[in-house]
Amino acid sequence: MALPVLSLSQTHLTLLETCPRRFQYIFDQALAVPPSPQGQEAALWGNQFHLLMQQQALGLPIAVMAPAHGEMVAKVEALRQQAPQLFQAEPGECLRQSEHQRTLAFNGYVFTVIYDLIVLTENSGLIVDWKTYLKPPAKARLADDWQTRLYLYVLAETSQLPPEKLTMVYWFVRHRDAQGKDLPPSDYRFIYSLSQHDRTRADLLRLTDRLSELRECQVFPQTDILERCTRCPFQIRCQRADEPNLLINLDAIEEVALH
Ligand code: SF4
């Protein structure tokens, strides 16, 4: 019997690559991961910031829309000072849109991406993502992150633009220094290429083929890399809590976004 078509996001790909068993717990068995209070606060701040950026893109006055969020409005204004091009259309643009969704059928699955902001011209494509972490990850880590790879891949496949004309930019709007002092917004910029596109296609084929096999046999193996279990909320269910060298570290439990 044919497997039902699944919609996959970058979160699915990351979990599948990190630990198929964890993928199964979250997406197949729909087990919830309770966020920590800090994780909850961060997620709420991030969601509200995204909403605010969407509202300003629609021309709504954000100070009126979010009077209780003075800090957030100040962050938006700091970003406007630093990168005014994000806030105003330039001549030659064919498309500028917030919360822009694209889908791509691929190897029996559908990839779904939602760009915080997309700006297309005849010769260029720009994907912008707002990040509200207090401490940005290393740039090399984000370059390899499935969000970067999938977002660029889907745009290359769903537009007329060649990969080398595409760029993805992450803007960090809330980060702080080691003393907890606010820093001005800053960005990481990733320019795409044909060789990256080919590598991503090969990795996506490998991962989706693997997922189809796992779904057929309904056996999702545990990761071999025990260190990953120390940051996993399913250690006890998974009987990995008693492994030697494993420490249960509840503070280190990662938040997993469900898309
Ligand atoms: S405890 Fe380890 S093996 Fe089990 S789901 Fe978590 S990461 Fe995977």
Side-chain angles (χ1 to χ4, degrees):
M1 198 173 64
L3 293 166
V5 175
L6 272 189
S7 175
L8 299 178
S9 70
Q10 67 273 16
T11 309
H12 291 88
L13 297 173
T14 305
L15 273 179
L16 190 59
E17 206 163 50
T18 311
C19 177
R21 180 67 59 85
R22 189 164 168 179
F23 175 98
Q24 183 188 31
Y25 286 150
I26 293 176
F27 293 114
D28 202 42
Q29 299 180 358
L31 298 182
V33 181
S36 65
Q38 297 93 326
Q40 246 172 339
E41 190 277 333
L44 188 64
W45 204 99
N47 289 343
Q48 288 179 339
F49 183 84
H50 280 73
L51 194 59
L52 213 53
M53 289 303 288
Q54 200 181 354
Q55 288 170 337
Q56 75 76 33
L58 293 170
L60 301 171
I62 57 171
V64 175
M65 297 300 300
H69 299 290
E71 181 211 355
M72 208 173 287
V73 172
K75 296 289 182 195
V76 176
E77 291 311 324
L79 186 60
R80 193 193 302 274
Q81 292 290 321
Q82 189 105 354
Q85 73 280 6
L86 296 172
F87 293 80
Q88 63 209 20
E90 303 281 336
E93 288 181 4
C94 319
L95 175 71
R96 170 180 284 259
Q97 194 172 71
S98 281
E99 299 299 314
H100 177 88
Q101 178 171 321
R102 287 188 178 224
T103 55
L104 174 69
F106 183 97
N107 199 22
Y109 293 87
V110 174
F111 294 133
T112 303
V113 297
I114 301 174
Y115 303 136
D116 288 345
L117 175 68
I118 186 171
V119 181
L120 297 183
T121 71
E122 297 239 323
N123 302 309
S124 65
L126 175 68
I127 301 163
V128 182
D129 198 79
W130 318 124
K131 288 290 180 220
T132 55
Y133 311 134
L134 294 179
K135 185 173 183 302
K139 188 173 180 184
R141 210 188 110 197
L142 260 190
D144 260 347
D145 192 281
W146 269 115
Q147 182 177 14
T148 314
R149 299 182 68 193
L150 186 67
Y151 277 28
L152 285 163
Y153 185 85
V154 170
L155 184 54
E157 290 289 317
T158 58
S159 71
Q160 302 301 316
L161 294 162
E164 57 275 10
K165 298 289 184 185
L166 306 184
T167 304
M168 178 153 180
V169 180
Y170 291 96
W171 273 98
F172 300 97
V173 297
R174 200 192 181 193
H175 59 318
R176 297 176 180 162
D177 66 15
Q179 285 71 46
K181 193 163 153 275
D182 280 358
L183 293 169
S186 64
D187 67 334
Y188 287 166
R189 185 168 292 262
F190 298 102
I191 297 169
Y192 204 34
S193 71
L194 184 56
S195 61
Q196 286 172 308
H197 193 61
D198 290 342
R199 185 169 69 90
T200 296
R201 179 185 293 113
D203 286 344
L204 288 171
L205 274 173
R206 174 182 54 79
L207 269 181
T208 47
D209 281 347
R210 173 97 170 114
L211 178 56
S212 298
E213 285 167 22
L214 298 175
R215 291 173 71 206
E216 286 280 0
C217 65
Q218 278 300 301
V219 177
F220 288 73
Q222 296 169 300
T223 178
D224 294 331
I225 302 172
L226 295 183
E227 199 205 334
R228 289 183 181 155
C229 304
T230 62
R231 297 177 59 80
C232 179
F234 300 112
Q235 290 173 69
I236 293 172
R237 170 180 288 270
C238 217
Q239 299 183 327
R240 278 282 171 96
D242 295 323
E243 296 279 351
N245 305 325
L246 276 185
L247 294 174
I248 299 176
N249 181 358
L250 292 175
D251 291 337
I253 289 175
E254 271 178 297
E255 185 193 350
V256 176
L258 290 169
H259 294 280

